Amino acid sequence: PRHYDELGFFYRQLWGEHLHHGVWDGDDDRSVADATTRLLELATAPLNLRPEELVVDIGCGYGAGARWIAEHTGAHLTGLTLSPHQVEVAHSRPAPHRGTAEVRLGDWLANDYADHSFEAAVAIESLAHMRDKPAFFGELARTLAPGGRAAIACWTAAPDLACLETLLLRRLCHDGQLPSLGTLDEYRRLAHDVGLRVTGHRDLTAAVEPTWWIIGRRALASLFRSPRFLLASLASALRRPTFALTIPAMILAYRTRALRYGILWLEN
C-alpha cells in the first residue's frame, strides 16, 4: 500500500478519489468524473447486479467505486484494501443512499471470507498489484457462490514483446510497485485452471489512453498554480527520482500497444 499512501495527495489533486482510468469514446469531451464513471458502468453492466446482492470490491482504494456501485444497484458492497490511510478516508465519506458500502483493511490473497460468500466481485486495476496471480483467481473461485460473476478491469502486457517494450514495462512495474504484468491469455488460463469460465472481454486500450495525457496536463498546470503541489512534487522527486517519468512512459506504452487495458468477465 505504500505506493498509494505516498502518492495519495497527487492522485486526489489530479484525478479525484476514483483512482482508475477514465473511458473516452471517440472524440467526446466528457469530464474526468464522467469518464471514470463510464468505466464502472462498462465493467458492472454485464454483472446484472441486483438489490441486496453481496459484492466484493477487491483493492477498492478510497471506496468511491464501491459507493457508486451500491448507489446505482442497491447491492451490498464490501471493499478490501491494504492501505490504512484509504480505509480512514473511506470511513469519512457519506454512505450511499441505496445499498451499503463498507471498506475494510485486509489482504485479498489472505482473506478470511467463507466459501461462496459473494454473488459478485469487481477488481478495478488491482490485479497488477497482486504478488500471486494464481492465488488471486483461486480466491475468486473460492469466495464466489456458484453462478457468481466477476469483472476485472486490468492492464495486460502485449504478447511477444520486443526487447525495448519489455524494458519499458519493467520500468513501469518498478515505478508503480507492480509485481508483474501478465498477458490476457495468461489471465484467461489462470481463471480456467481454478474452474472460472470466461464470459467476455473488451479491449479499452484506445478509449483509456487519453487518461495519461490529461493527467500530464493537469500535473504541469498544478506545478505553477499550487505551491503545495510544487513542494510535494519536489519532496517526492527526492524520494523517487524516476517517478516523474511515469506519465510519459505510460503514454509511450499505450501508444506502442506494449501495454493493453481491458475488462475480463468471469463466472463461477
Side-chain angles (χ1 to χ4, degrees):
R2 186 164 55 92
H3 173 81
Y4 286 102
D5 287 349
E6 289 180 354
L7 300 173
F9 167 75
F10 296 101
Y11 285 124
R12 291 199 300 277
Q13 284 287 308
L14 296 174
W15 208 243
E17 292 192 5
H18 284 290
L19 299 181
H20 56 76
H21 286 63
V23 173
W24 282 265
D25 299 320
D27 297 324
D28 66 0
D29 56 356
R30 64 180 53 177
S31 68
V32 167
D34 288 343
T36 50
T37 295
R38 180 61 177 153
L39 179 68
L40 289 173
E41 291 172 341
L42 290 174
T44 57
L47 301 182
N48 297 313
L49 298 176
R50 297 180 292 275
E52 308 299 324
E53 283 197 308
L54 302 180
V55 184
V56 61
D57 183 352
I58 304 163
C60 64
Y62 299 109
R67 291 190 296 273
W68 185 92
I69 295 169
E71 183 73 51
H72 287 81
T73 67
H76 297 303
L77 272 289
T78 297
L80 201 63
T81 174
L82 288 168
S83 168
H85 172 66
Q86 291 180 345
V87 173
E88 181 181 357
V89 172
H91 287 177
S92 71
R93 299 301 185 251
H97 293 94
R98 294 181 66 211
T100 60
E102 179 185 5
V103 174
R104 298 177 178 176
L105 183 68
D107 184 351
W108 174 249
L109 300 181
N111 72 76
D112 58 0
Y113 298 120
D115 294 356
H116 313 315
S117 291
F118 303 103
E119 278 91 22
V122 293
I124 308 296
E125 298 177 18
S126 60
L127 175 55
H129 292 279
M130 299 289 168
R131 63 187 181 276
D132 187 338
K133 303 295 194 289
F136 170 89
F137 287 97
E139 286 303 298
L140 263 185
R142 184 184 69 80
T143 58
L144 281 176
R149 301 90 67 205
I152 304 171
C154 60
W155 294 291
T156 57
D160 303 320
L161 289 169
C163 180
L164 290 178
E165 292 173 330
T166 299
L167 293 175
L168 175 61
L169 293 193
R170 284 179 181 172
R171 183 76 253 172
L172 287 173
C173 286
H174 178 270
D175 290 338
Q177 297 184 8
L178 309 177
S180 63
L181 280 175
T183 66
L184 176 60
D185 283 345
E186 287 170 346
Y187 292 154
R188 281 175 164 154
R189 187 180 69 250
L190 290 175
H192 179 268
D193 287 348
V194 295
L196 295 169
R197 184 170 66 90
V198 176
T199 58
H201 172 260
R202 180 167 177 178
D203 187 294
L204 292 173
T205 307
V208 304
E209 184 180 346
T211 293
W212 289 92
W213 291 97
I214 296 170
I215 289 176
R217 290 197 298 269
R218 288 186 167 198
L220 285 174
S222 296
L223 288 174
F224 293 101
R225 295 175 182 170
S226 171
R228 183 186 176 195
F229 188 89
L230 175 60
L231 290 174
S233 298
L234 292 173
S236 179
L238 291 174
R239 292 193 305 269
R240 306 172 68 176
T242 62
F243 190 74
L245 300 176
T246 297
I247 293 175
M250 286 294 296
I251 292 172
L252 179 61
Y254 275 134
R255 184 53 54 91
T256 61
R257 296 297 186 261
L259 183 67
R260 311 285 176 82
Y261 190 101
I263 304 174
L264 187 66
W265 290 280
L266 308 171
E267 186 174 303
N268 203 15

